[in-house]
C-alpha cells in the first residue's frame, strides 16, 4: 500500500486519476491539491458525493511531500515545471500528466509551447511513460513524463510497422479526431456547447504541439529522423480519440504480413487489442477503458497501410496510463485498478 | 422598402435577425452595430461569407438614428435600456429583444434582474409584442418589448384555455425545456460543451426571471392575478423550447371541448399550428421556423389538461417574432420573410 | 460465491448487468443466454474483448437451471413470463428486469402491455424489488420484479412526502425525461440517430405502461388509491432519467420541513443522495452509478412541493438495482460491486 | 416557370429538394411520388404543415410525365435505373440523385453496388452534374447524374491542384467524415441513436462505392488514371461532410502558389468559397447552404498539400446541387432559390 497525491483535481484528467485511485487496492490517496480550486472534493465533483471525504488544499510542496510517496501532477503545462523540481528534491516520485517533460530541450519546448522552460535539468532525466515501448526504463524512473493523448494513439499505431519496415516507410500521415475533453476544462468561446455541437473542424493544422512529441519517440523507434504529417480535428463528443494513420511503403506488403507484425509486437501487452482483419475499432469500444484498439488495412496496390488507432483520451491518453506507469514503477500487477 | 438597423450582431438573436432581414423583400439593412465586437459581418459570422458586405460599427445613437427608420436591439438586458431612450427621442421605432421593457415597474425589474431600471418612463409605454394577443396595439407601437422565449411558448399554450375557462383554472404548472442557445452566446463554465453534452438538469427552479413576465400577461388574459409554477431545464441541443403545461380545472372537460377552444382561438393566426388530437409537436418540426406548435390531452379524470407547446427559441422566441412585429407595425404581410 | 446466469445479453440492461457481475467479488457468471443472438460475448460486445470468454447460448431452462443458483432475466416483456415459471419450478431464484411481474393482475397487464399474462400465479408471489421500500420482503423473495426505470425515480421522489403527508397530497404530476437507452436496443425508425438528435418530444402522454406501476406502489405507501399524472419525454442522450415532480398540498409547508422528511426517510440508505437545499441533481452526477439523487424546493405559496429525482436508467433503473436486490437477497453487503 | 416533380419524398434528399423548390420563384412543384410512402406531404413531414397541400402518389411513369417537365429522382440506388428510361422516353429531363448513372459501365456498377445495371444505354449518355467542372455539358443534358456527397467535396478539393500540377501529384489521400443523414433514412441497427451518439468510427475502409466515382472524374481532370486512397468516417451529427485531403507532390510548392491556383480556378463560381490562408472551414459554416468551403495548407517540406473541403451533404452534396443543375439547364440564374 503506497500513499499517493494528486494535484490538479478540478480538471478532467485529475478527476479521472482520482476516480481510478479511489478504487485501487494497493493505494491510499492521502493528498489532493490544486493551484486555485480548493475545498471538499465532493463539492467540486458532486459525482463523488458519499464516496470520499478528501479535501482539496492549495498546493504546497512541503505538505505534499510529507503526505505521500508518489505524486500525480494533472496541472496545465508550464505549471508542472514549477512544482516538479521541489518534489523530486524531496525524494518523491513524480508522474507528470502535462506536456512539460516530454520534449528534448528548452528550445523545442519554447518553440511549440511558447514559454521558457526553467527546469532543463530534469527534462533530460524524465522517462517517457509509454509502457508498451519503455517498460524497463519506467521501472526505475523518478520522473515520468506521461504521454500526450494524441501521441499515445499515434505512436502505438505506427511503432510496430516502423520498427520492422523502418527504412521502407516513405511517409506517415496521421489524421486525428478527438473529443472535447482533450482540450481540458478551460473556459473558451470555441469550446462552448453551441459552437461545438453539430459542428466538426480541423484545427492547428500542421502546427499542433503534440507533433514534435510524436516525431521524437517515433524517431527512436526508427533510429532515424521521422517527421509526421499531423492534422487534429475536434469531434462533438465528450471523450475518445480515433486516429486514421496512412503509411506509404516503398515496396509491396500483404495485409497478413502487416497483421502479424502488429500481433507479435503487442503479444504480451495487456492494454493493446488488435482487431481481427475486417473488424474495426470504434470509440465506443474504448471509452471508459485503458485499452488502445488497433485495426489494419492495406490498399490494393500493397503500398499504402492504413491503421485505425482508438483510445479514451482521459484514460489511456492520460489518467489510466499514469496509473499503469505507477503500477509498473511499484511492481504491482500492470493492470491493477484498470480493468 | 424600409431601412432597418440591428444592434448586437455578435449574439445568436442578432445573427438570426440579420439572416432573416437580408432576405426580406421589404427591407434594407442599413446599419449594424455592437457594444464590443466590430468589423466585417462575414468575419464575425463566416457563415455569411459572400452574402453581405455589411460592417459592424461600435453603437452610436446618432449614427444609428441617421441611417435607419427602425432598429432591432438584440443586446443583453440592462444594455437595451441605455440605448432605447435616445433612439425613441430621435423619432425611431425600437423593437427590443432583451428583457428590459417587459415588466411593469422598476421594482419588478430590480427584483428579477438584479439591476436598477433607469428608464421607467418608457417601461410604461412599451407594447408587449406577442402578435397573437396584442396585434392592434403592435400596429401603433413606437417601442416593442419582444417577448422572452419561455413566455412566448407558455402564454400561447395557456391563453386559450385561460381566456375561456378563466375562473375554473386552479393551477398552472409549466415544465419548460430549452436548448442551449437560449442562454445567449456568453462564455461560462456551465455552458461548456463537456458540461452540457450528455447531461440534463433543471435550473433557477421557481426563480427564473421569465416567471413574472408570464404571470403579468396571463393575468391580463384571465383578468385576475395569475401565478404559475415555472421550472426551466437545459436540453443538450442547440435550439428549441418545448414546454409541457399542466392546468388543473375545478370541473370536468372533454378533450374535444378543449381542442375546439384552441382551434377557435388561433383560427386566423399564421404562426400557430394546432396538432390533431393524438398527434404531438416535436422540436424538430419547429426548429428553423417561426411556428408555435401546440398539442392537447386531457386526463381520464377530465380535470387535468396537458398542453405541449414548442417553438424555436431564436425565431418565434426572438428574431422571427421581432420581424413578425415589424411586419405588423409596417403594414406588411404578417408572414413576409418568415415562411 | 454464488453462480449466476444472465438471459438477454444482447440488450443494454443485460450488458450492464454482465459488466457489473464480472467485477462482483461474490459472484461467478456461469451462464449467459439469449432468445436470438448467440456466440462469444466479446463478439456481441467488442467492448469486452480480453475481459471474458463467456459464450452466449440459446436459452434453455434446463441448462440454465443446472448451471446457476440465481438468474437475471433481461429480456423484453412478454418473454420473461415464458421463462420464469420453469426456472422457479427448478428451485432457482429469478430477478426479472422486464415489466412482466410488476402489476397486480392479468387484467392490468393486458390493459397496459396489450398481451395476455399466462402466469398469474407467480404474478401474485413476486416481490417488487425497490430496496428502499421493500428490503425485508426482498430478503426472502424467490421471484423479484425489478422496478421499471421511470417508477424507480418517481417512487423514490414521492414516497417520503406521501408517507408523511399522505392525506394532504392533492395531486402528483411527474414530468419525466429519459435518455434513449430506456427504449432498449430495438431497431425502430423513431429511434434512428437523425430522428432523435437535436430533437426533443413527449410521447405516450398520459398513457405510458409505467403509470399503473407507479400508482400501485405509491398507493401502498399512502394506504389509499393514488393516481399520478405522468408524461414521459425522450432526451437526445444515451442514458439517464430526470423527473421533475410537482406535489400540491392542501396546507402550507416550509422547505426545511420537507427537507427533513426526506433526510429522515433515507437516513440509512446507501444509494439515495439528498442534495442540500439550493443544490440540484444533474444527470451527469448519476450516470454510471447506482445512485438516486434528490433535490427539493417549495413554492412561495408553501403548497407546491417540487422534487427533482435523477437516476441512471440502466443502473439504478435496471442492472444496478437488480444487483442490489441480489446482494440483499444473499446477505451480501448491499453496495457490493456497485460502488 | 417550369413544372417539376420529385420522386422519393420520404427520404432526406427528397425532402430537402422539395423544401428548396417550394420557395424557388421559377418553379412549380406539380408532382410528388414515391415507391412506398404515400399520402399528404405534410403528414409525412409535419415540418411542412401549413406550407403545402401536395399529396404524394405511388410513382407512375405516365402520370409523372404528364404532370411535369423535369423530374428529380431522389430514390435509393437500383431504383432510379428502373424509372429513368421511361421518363426519358417520354421526353422528360431527369436529374438523378442516386448513384445509378455516375459510373462508366455495367461492370463497374456491379462491382461497387453489387447489382446488375439494366440500362447501360443511358449510362453512357448521362452528364455528371458537377457544375464547377461540367457547366457546358449540363446546359444541354437530358439526364444528369447528380454527384455523390463524398465525391462532390473530394473532387472540388482536389481538382484545381490536379489540373495544374497533374503529373507531379504522387498520391491523394482523402480522409472523409460525414454526418449520419449521408446514409439516408434507412432503419438499421448501426444507425440507431445509442450506437452513433458519443461514438466515432471509420467504415468501408478502402471499399466505399464512392471511390470509383472520385477516381473516374479526377482521372478526367488529370488526363491520366487517378486512384485515390479513400477512408470515410461516421460523425455523430445530423449533416455535413468535411474531408481532409493530403496530396503529395514530387517537387516543392509554396502555400501562396497553391492558394492562387485555387483562387483562379474558382474565380467565377458562386458556390465555392476559398478561405484566406490561416482560416479554415468548419461544418457549421456550410450546413444549411449550397456552398463548398475550402482551406489550404502546405507542410514545411513544401511537398505535402493539405486541403480542407466542407459541404452540407444534403444540399451541395445532393438537393442543392440538383437544383443548381436545374438552374443551369434551364437558363435560370445559377444561384436562384439557393441563397
Amino acid at each position: 500500500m503506497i500513499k499517493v497525491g494528486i494535484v490538479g483535481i478540478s480538471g478532467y484528467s485529475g478527476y479521472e486519476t482520482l476516480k481510478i485511485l479511489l478504487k485501487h487496492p494497493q493505494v491510499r490517496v492521502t493528498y489532493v491539491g490544486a493551484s486555485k480550486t480548493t475545498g471538499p472534493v465532493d463539492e467540486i465533483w458532486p459525482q463523488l458525493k458519499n464516496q470520499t471525504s478528501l479535501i482539496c488544499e492549495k498546493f504546497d510542496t512541503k505538505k505534499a511531500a510529507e503526505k505521500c510517496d508518489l505524486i500525480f501532477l494533472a496541472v496545465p503545462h508550464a505549471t508542472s515545471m514549477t512544482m516538479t523540481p521541489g518534489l523530486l528534491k524531496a525524494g518523491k516520485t513524480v508522474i507528470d500528466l502535462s506536456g512539460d517533460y516530454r520534449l528534448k530541450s528548452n528550445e523545442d519546448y519554447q518553440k511549440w509551447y511558447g514559454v521558457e522552460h526553467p527546469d532543463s535539468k530534469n527534462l533530460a532525466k524524465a522517462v517517457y511513460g509509454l509502457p508498451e515501448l519503455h517498460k524497463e526504463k519506467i521501472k526505475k524512473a523518478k520522473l515520468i513524463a506521461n504521454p500526450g493523448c494524441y501521441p499515445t494513439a499515434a505512436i502505438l499505431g505506427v511503432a510496430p510497422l516502423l520498427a520492422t519496415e523502418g527504412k521502407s516507410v516513405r511517409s506517415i500521415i496521421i489524421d486525428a479526431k478527438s473529443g472535447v475533453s482533450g482540450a481540458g476544462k478551460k473556459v473558451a468561446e470555441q469550446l462552448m456547447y453551441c459552437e461545438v455541437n453539430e459542428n466538426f473542424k480541423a484545427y492547428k493544422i500542421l502546427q499542433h504541439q503534440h507533433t514534435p512529441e510524436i516525431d521524437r519517440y517515433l524517431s527512436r523507434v526508427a533510429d532515424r529522423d521521422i517527421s509526421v504529417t499531423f492534422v487534429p480535428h475536434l469531434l462533438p463528443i465528450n471523450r475518445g480519440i480515433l486516429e486514421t494513420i496512412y503509411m506509404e511503403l516503398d515496396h509491396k506488403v500483404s495485409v497478413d504480413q502487416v497483421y502479424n507484425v502488429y500481433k507479435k509486437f503487442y503479444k504480451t501487452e495487456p492494454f493493446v487489442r488488435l482487431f481481427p482483419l475486417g473488424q474495426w475499432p470504434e470509440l465506443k469500444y474504448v471509452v471508459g477503458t485503458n485499452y488502445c484498439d488497433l485495426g489494419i488495412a492495406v490498399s490494393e496496390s500493397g503500398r499504402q497501410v492504413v491503421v485505425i488507432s482508438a483510445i479514451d483520451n482521459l484514460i489511456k491518453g492520460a489518467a489510466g496510463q499514469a496509473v499503469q506507469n505507477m503500477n509498473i514503477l511499484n511492481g504491482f500487477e500492470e493492470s491493477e485498478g484498470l480493468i
Side-chain angles (χ1 to χ4, degrees), chain A:
Chain A
M1 182 76 81
I2 60 169
K3 290 179 290 173
V4 305
I6 310 169
V7 186
I9 209 64
S10 66
Y12 294 128
S13 298
Y15 169 64
E16 290 293 326
T17 306
L18 178 61
K19 271 215 312 189
I20 296 171
L21 293 175
L22 285 175
K23 298 188 181 186
H24 194 292
Q26 313 266 18
V27 149
R28 199 145 50 85
V29 180
T30 50
Y31 180 79
V32 175
S35 303
K36 289 184 220 152
T37 323
T38 57
V41 167
D42 70 350
E43 286 185 9
I44 303 174
W45 295 99
Q47 284 88 333
L48 294 179
K49 215 168 135 65
N50 287 17
Q51 293 181 83
T52 179
S53 54
L54 285 165
I55 309 287
C56 182
E57 314 173 22
K58 192 157 176 48
F59 175 73
D60 178 87
T61 308
K62 214 177 136 195
K63 258 201 170 169
E66 268 169 33
K67 288 199 178 170
C68 31
D69 310 317
L70 183 154
I71 288 151
F72 293 89
L73 296 179
V75 294
H77 69 84
T79 302
S80 165
M81 60 195 185
T82 67
M83 298 173 168
T84 296
L87 292 167
L88 290 178
K89 213 171 281 172
K92 303 299 153 184
T93 306
V94 172
I95 298 180
D96 175 28
L97 284 80
S98 86
D100 281 5
Y101 292 93
R102 297 180 196 152
L103 298 189
K104 198 163 35 191
S105 63
N106 184 3
E107 291 74 48
D108 256 27
Y109 188 83
Q110 200 163 351
K111 176 177 171 195
W112 291 93
Y113 287 85
V115 216
E116 275 269 346
H117 198 303
D119 185 27
S120 312
K121 201 189 67 180
N122 288 314
L123 251 192
K125 292 185 191 164
V127 170
Y128 191 66
L130 192 62
E132 290 75 13
L133 295 184
H134 304 156
K135 209 164 289 179
E136 291 311 310
K137 284 190 180 162
I138 292 165
K139 286 180 185 167
K140 293 168 274 178
K142 288 302 288 178
L143 168 58
I144 287 180
N146 208 57
C149 48
Y150 284 129
T152 295
I155 299 170
L156 293 178
V158 170
L161 193 69
L162 200 57
T164 319
E165 296 275 356
K167 286 178 185 148
S168 325
V169 178
R170 286 195 64 259
S171 76
I172 303 172
I173 292 173
I174 298 165
D175 193 280
K177 302 90 175 173
S178 173
V180 184
S181 61
K185 215 185 165 184
K186 66 169 179 268
V187 176
E189 189 181 319
Q190 76 268 25
L191 300 178
M192 299 295 295
Y193 186 80
C194 290
E195 301 304 306
V196 172
N197 185 42
E198 292 298 285
N199 194 21
F200 181 69
K201 65 171 178 181
Y203 68 102
K204 294 191 183 176
I205 294 166
L206 306 178
Q207 301 184 321
H208 194 281
Q209 70 276 11
H210 282 172
T211 314
E213 185 181 332
I214 299 171
D215 285 351
R216 181 181 188 198
Y217 298 101
L218 285 182
S219 297
R220 280 202 200 164
V221 170
D223 206 16
R224 63 177 171 101
D225 274 1
I226 294 290
S227 175
V228 303
T229 299
F230 180 68
V231 179
H233 302 73
L234 188 66
L235 282 173
I237 61 174
N238 282 1
R239 47 206 285 181
I241 283 178
L242 188 140
E243 301 185 0
T244 310
I245 301 170
Y246 303 87
M247 289 180 277
E248 200 185 330
L249 296 176
D250 62 8
H251 64 101
K252 281 191 172 203
V253 288
S254 76
V255 72
D256 289 312
Q257 278 177 287
V258 179
Y259 180 82
N260 286 325
V261 163
Y262 279 75
K263 194 168 170 103
K264 201 174 151 198
F265 198 90
Y266 292 125
K267 203 171 41 186
T268 60
E269 290 305 326
F271 289 117
V272 177
R273 299 189 297 196
L274 180 62
F275 274 51
L277 291 175
Q279 290 177 34
W280 297 96
E282 305 189 11
L283 281 189
K284 70 182 166 202
Y285 300 154
V286 292
V287 166
T289 82
N290 196 50
Y291 292 110
C292 175
D293 283 357
L294 298 175
I296 286 161
V298 172
S299 69
E300 256 187 48
S301 73
R303 288 160 185 267
Q304 194 72 257
V305 176
V306 179
V307 176
I308 306 288
S309 177
I311 61 168
D312 183 324
N313 58 303
L314 293 177
I315 305 192
K316 184 60 177 167
Q321 187 146 266
V323 173
Q324 190 181 352
N325 280 316
M326 177 198 78
N327 287 340
I328 294 168
L329 212 150
N330 285 278
F332 306 150
E333 184 75 29
E334 187 169 341
S335 60
E336 190 81 73
L338 291 170
I339 283 184

